[in-house]
Amino acid sequence: MKSGQHTISGNWASLLLPVEADDSIEFSKLGVEIDILIDAKVDGIYSNGTAGEFHNQTEEEFDRIQLMLAERCRKAGMLFIIGACQPDPMIMLNRVRSAATLAPAAIQVILPDWWPLTDGEAIDYLNRAFEIANGIPLILYNPPHAKRVLSPKELGAILAGAPGVVGVKLADGDANWYVETRKHLSGVSLFVPGHHLATGIREGVAAGAFSNVACLSPRGAQRWTDLMQTNIDAAIETEQRICKFMAQHIVPFRQKSGYSNAALDKLLCAIGNWGPVSTRLRFPYRWIGEDEAQRLRAVAKQELGDIMI
C-alpha cells in the first residue's frame, strides 16, 4: 500500500472459478490462478464476487475455495478479502462465520436479496454480520442489479448505524453522484468499477476497485493503478481507452444478448489469456464462446497495449 491510502485500497483482483464441462470446479487450476495473481503483485485478491459465481456454489465448495485462497495468500504475504455473499441471509451469516476463522483483511457481504431490506433492517443485518465476523471489518457490495440500489445519502444513513462496515463496492455515476458521495460518504473506503478507477481517484472518492480490468490483465491493472499515484492525467487517458474498449466490445454482450456480468468478466479473463480460466460458467448460466475471446484478444492488444502485459 502507498502511504496515505486507506488500509484496504488499490487494485483488487477477482478470483474466478475454473469450471469444467461437468460443472465441477477444477481446484488444481484454481491454485494455479491464485499463484499467478500473487506473482502479479496486485494490491490484494478477493474471492466470491460476481465473477467468482458466489451465487452458484455449495457450502462445501465455498469452504474449500476460501481455505485455498487463505493458505496461499498467507504464505506469500498477500492481502485477501473473502466474499461471504449469498442471497439467503442465514447462509450468508454462516459464510461470514466460516470466513472469519481464516482472518482475511475484510469480509464482503451483500444485503439479503429475496425482498429488499428497509434501512433499519439493513443496519440490523450488517451489525449482526459484524458481530459474527468477530472484529473483522465488512465491505458492503451494492451492485447495480441489487434489489435496492442505495444512493449515497441512503448509504450514509445506513453506515452511520453500522460501524463495522468500512467500505462499499458500488457503481459510480455522474458529476452529481460524486458531489453527493463526497457529502455523505467521506471516510468510507469506496470501490468503484475497475474501468472508472482513475476518475474515482481524481475525484477524491475511490479507495480502489475490485477490478474488472484485473480480470483482463492483473499485471496491467496494477501498473495502471500505480500510475494514478504519479500521473493522473496519463491514467485518465488510459481509462478513456479502456472504457471505449468495454463499450464497443464487451458491454454489448450484456445489452444485446443478455449475458451476465460474470460472463463478461470471464470473457475479459479469456481475452487476457493470463491464467487457466475459460469463459465457461456454471449451469444454468450461459457463457460467451472462446472464439470471441480469441477474436477480441488482438483488438485488446492493439487498443490497450499498456494494459495487456
Side-chain angles (χ1 to χ4, degrees):
M1 293 297 134
K2 315 294 188 299
S3 61
Q5 287 187 311
H6 294 273
T7 303
I8 301 171
S9 63
N11 170 51
W12 286 75
S14 174
L15 195 61
L16 301 103
L17 290 189
V19 177
E20 298 298 288
D22 63 356
D23 274 330
S24 65
I25 299 170
E26 182 48 75
F27 281 92
S28 63
K29 291 182 179 178
L30 188 71
V32 171
E33 180 192 353
I34 295 169
D35 290 343
I36 291 171
L37 292 175
I38 290 171
D39 188 60
K41 295 181 172 56
V42 294
D43 287 321
I45 304 171
Y46 73 102
S47 66
N48 280 40
T50 295
E53 298 174 76
F54 69 79
H55 51 282
N56 208 4
Q57 296 169 16
T58 68
E59 296 317 290
E60 292 79 11
E61 289 169 338
F62 171 84
D63 288 338
R64 189 173 175 186
I65 292 166
Q66 314 324 314
L67 181 60
M68 178 177 283
L69 176 67
E71 288 179 342
R72 290 179 183 245
C73 285
R74 275 203 297 264
K75 184 177 179 180
M78 171 63 66
L79 289 174
F80 67 99
I81 289 174
I82 291 176
C85 306
Q86 225 284 346
D88 180 292
M90 291 298 101
I91 295 175
M92 185 157 41
L93 291 178
N94 285 335
R95 288 187 174 187
V96 170
R97 183 176 291 107
S98 175
T101 66
L102 299 173
I107 298 172
Q108 184 170 270
V109 297
I110 59 173
L111 295 178
D113 209 38
W114 175 248
W115 191 265
L117 301 189
T118 65
D119 285 6
E121 290 168 338
I123 290 170
D124 290 346
Y125 187 81
L126 293 170
N127 286 334
R128 175 73 64 84
F130 182 59
E131 179 183 337
I132 290 172
N134 199 28
I136 294 173
L138 302 180
I139 304 289
L140 176 62
Y141 182 19
N142 187 230
H145 57 272
K147 284 284 176 65
R148 185 179 174 201
V149 179
L150 299 166
S151 69
K153 183 177 181 180
E154 291 169 331
L155 265 174
I158 290 170
L159 297 187
V165 180
V166 301
V168 184
K169 178 184 178 183
L170 73 178
D172 58 352
D174 58 15
N176 183 65
W177 182 89
Y178 278 101
V179 171
E180 289 295 300
T181 297
R182 284 189 290 267
K183 179 178 179 182
H184 296 290
L185 292 171
S186 62
V188 180
S189 293
L190 299 181
F191 298 88
V192 299
H195 57 298
H196 294 167
L197 180 55
T199 293
I201 294 292
R202 184 185 63 186
E203 294 289 334
V205 163
F210 296 98
S211 179
N212 57 347
V213 181
C215 289
L216 179 65
S217 172
R219 289 182 185 275
Q222 189 61 50
R223 187 166 77 173
W224 178 47
T225 304
D226 292 342
L227 179 64
M228 296 172 202
Q229 306 301 318
T230 59
N231 192 338
I232 190 64
D233 290 337
I236 289 289
E237 188 278 329
T238 299
E239 177 180 289
Q240 291 169 348
R241 287 186 284 111
I242 294 170
C243 287
K244 181 180 178 182
F245 176 81
M246 296 288 190
Q248 291 184 344
H249 303 294
I250 305 300
V251 175
F253 283 106
R254 184 182 66 224
Q255 292 179 336
K256 297 180 180 179
S257 302
Y259 287 104
S260 66
N261 282 349
L264 271 58
D265 285 337
K266 279 195 162 177
L267 173 64
L268 288 170
C269 180
I271 291 169
N273 197 31
W274 52 266
V277 181
S278 73
T279 59
R280 180 181 290 272
L281 298 178
R282 272 191 147 175
F283 180 84
Y285 297 96
R286 295 187 177 184
W287 62 91
I288 301 163
E290 292 283 340
D291 57 328
E292 295 286 5
Q294 294 173 12
R295 177 181 65 85
L296 289 171
R297 191 171 302 143
V299 178
K301 287 180 177 178
Q302 180 177 356
E303 298 181 4
L304 302 172
D306 47 344
I307 296 293
M308 297 286 289
I309 59 173

